[in-house]
Amino acid sequence: MNILAIESSCDETAAAVVKDGRTVLSNCVASQIEMHTIYGGVVPEIASRKHVEAITGLADQAIAQAGLSQDDLDAVAVTYAPGLIGAVLVGVNFAKGAAMALDLPLIPVHHVRGHIAANYLTHPDLEPPFVCLCVSGGTTAIVDVRSYTEMEVLGSTRDDAAGECFDKVARVLGIGYPGGAPMDRLSDGGDDGKYELPRAHVAGHELDMSFSGLKTASLNLIHNTQQKGEELDLPAFAASFGRAVSESLVPRIMAAARMRGYGKVAVAGGVAANRRIRADLQEACRRSGDKLFLPELKYCGDNAAMIGCQGFYEYQAGHLAGRDLNAYATRDISLG
Ligand code: KG4
């Protein structure tokens, strides 16, 4: 089954063709990062307009690179939630048009379910159930993946997402947008114990997280250092910050792993590329005996191959959309 998959929930326009869920025939991504860098963050209206410009050509490119024609497609899958609403709408409308014109089924895919599915592309042997740490620019959640299409959020951030926190702090340091990867690189060789930064706990909800305190404490530390005319030890700061984020995430996904007892832990989303988090997860799983699944770096950030993969399993579960499919800025992952 060849699925044309479309993703446009934030600042990447993406189209892919995926065969039978796990074989990626093509994976095309047009990033808008350069455009948004001028503003230090994603400007929603610009993102929507850039999606409109890119999406048709990108879908054609994905079909051509797969070595197929439109007649070889069996379904169209699309991210319909969550994301910047104007951006998601572009993908949804395009996918609806394509499905109608080609008389194909239309499969709605939750973006975070797609991130989780990136693990299936990297690990052909991975099957649910497992627990997954989902960490991106918009989401930070611990998910019980009971089956390919049945999921429960066990814990989530009460405020900022981890990626958003990386991005805001990097912006104040002036090291680029999006800030996660530059912060990661900057931390090389830095002393991760030099700066004391908070790790939040939500009383009574041990798997919930909070990153706004870490963000505020980091921004205050940067400004106070500047005001005193002192120099911030950048590698040490980036290492201390990365450690604080990792120590907020890793113990909680490991607690979820203990609670569920599946013996399998996965991680998903853009922040899953972070080297400190990957290393800490490796060490934690080595100690606990859980098997760890890390997505390949090319599938950590937004892409359409992961949407085609998850779309295959949604299709098998009979989750199809009608011509009235709408887009949603927010939506619980358990609802599909
Ligand atoms: O999954 P993604 O591409 O988009 C969303 O669905 O949100 O995630 C983007 C986020 C950004 O916040 C970016 O700074 C962060 O992932 N990110 C990282 C790293 N690479 C990307 N954060 C920490 N360390 C990294 N190496």
Side-chain angles (χ1 to χ4, degrees):
M1 177 180 200
N2 295 322
I3 296 181
L4 171 66
I6 303 294
E7 155 65 39
S8 68
S9 65
C10 191
D11 56 354
E12 258 109 20
T13 321
V17 178
V18 180
K19 185 179 178 196
D20 299 333
R22 300 227 185 186
T23 306
V24 180
L25 300 183
S26 62
N27 188 24
C28 304
V29 182
S31 175
Q32 306 175 358
I33 283 175
E34 222 173 282
M35 176 69 61
H36 298 292
T37 296
I38 309 166
Y39 306 98
V42 179
V43 182
E45 182 171 333
I46 294 177
S48 307
R49 289 175 182 278
K50 287 283 150 196
H51 288 313
V52 169
E53 283 172 11
I55 203 155
T56 309
L58 213 63
D60 285 344
Q61 193 185 329
I63 297 166
Q65 279 187 14
L68 302 177
S69 74
Q70 290 178 357
D71 295 339
D72 301 314
L73 300 173
D74 299 299
V76 180
V78 63
T79 298
Y80 79 108
L84 299 172
I85 192 62
V88 189
L89 277 165
V90 175
V92 166
N93 264 328
F94 176 82
K96 278 163 88 164
M100 266 192 250
L102 301 172
D103 196 21
L104 296 175
L106 178 65
I107 311 167
V109 178
H110 189 287
H111 179 72
V112 183
R113 287 185 175 214
H115 274 304
I116 294 170
N119 283 284
Y120 305 138
L121 297 175
T122 304
H123 307 283
D125 56 325
L126 176 62
E127 285 177 8
F130 56 89
V131 290
C132 188
L133 173 64
C134 302
V135 266
S136 67
T139 302
T140 299
I142 289 169
V143 179
D144 177 0
V145 184
R146 282 197 215 119
S147 76
Y148 286 109
T149 53
E150 287 167 291
M151 302 180 200
E152 183 193 353
V153 176
L154 301 176
S156 60
T157 181
R158 293 291 180 106
D159 38 57
D160 297 342
E164 195 181 337
C165 194
F166 268 107
D167 294 340
K168 294 263 163 66
V169 171
R171 183 157 83 176
V172 170
L173 289 176
I175 60 168
Y177 177 85
M183 285 284 281
D184 194 354
R185 284 193 294 273
L186 193 62
S187 68
D188 274 343
D191 172 5
D192 67 7
K194 179 158 179 176
Y195 295 105
E196 216 166 288
L197 295 167
R199 286 96 167 120
H201 297 275
V202 182
H205 300 271
E206 291 313 309
L207 297 186
D208 279 353
M209 295 152 277
S210 163
F211 290 96
S212 62
L214 172 62
K215 184 179 74 183
T216 306
S218 301
L219 300 187
N220 285 343
L221 189 134
I222 296 165
H223 289 144
N224 287 342
T225 309
Q226 282 166 351
Q227 279 159 5
K228 286 189 214 151
E230 291 169 4
E231 201 153 314
L232 191 69
D233 179 343
L234 281 174
F237 173 75
S240 304
F241 179 84
R243 178 179 169 185
V245 173
S246 184
E247 289 181 354
S248 302
L249 297 171
V250 175
R252 290 187 170 81
I253 183 69
M254 297 315 294
R258 279 194 300 280
M259 270 169 55
R260 287 300 188 252
Y262 299 139
K264 286 184 270 185
V265 172
V267 56
V271 184
N274 185 267
R275 289 171 304 165
R276 174 71 194 238
I277 296 169
R278 289 169 94 93
D280 286 353
L281 280 168
Q282 257 152 355
E283 176 56 20
C285 286
R286 190 191 60 73
R287 273 189 270 117
S288 70
D290 289 288
K291 190 161 180 204
L292 177 64
F293 297 88
L294 297 168
E296 269 172 277
L297 293 183
K298 67 176 176 188
Y299 294 134
C300 286
D302 289 347
N303 65 87
M306 66 185 197
I307 302 302
C309 175
Q310 182 61 25
F312 176 73
Y313 295 106
E314 300 290 353
Y315 178 85
Q316 288 198 319
H319 299 163
L320 298 178
R323 294 182 175 192
D324 57 348
L325 176 65
N326 209 337
Y328 300 90
T330 58
R331 188 163 171 90
D332 194 310
I333 193 171
S334 63
L335 300 173

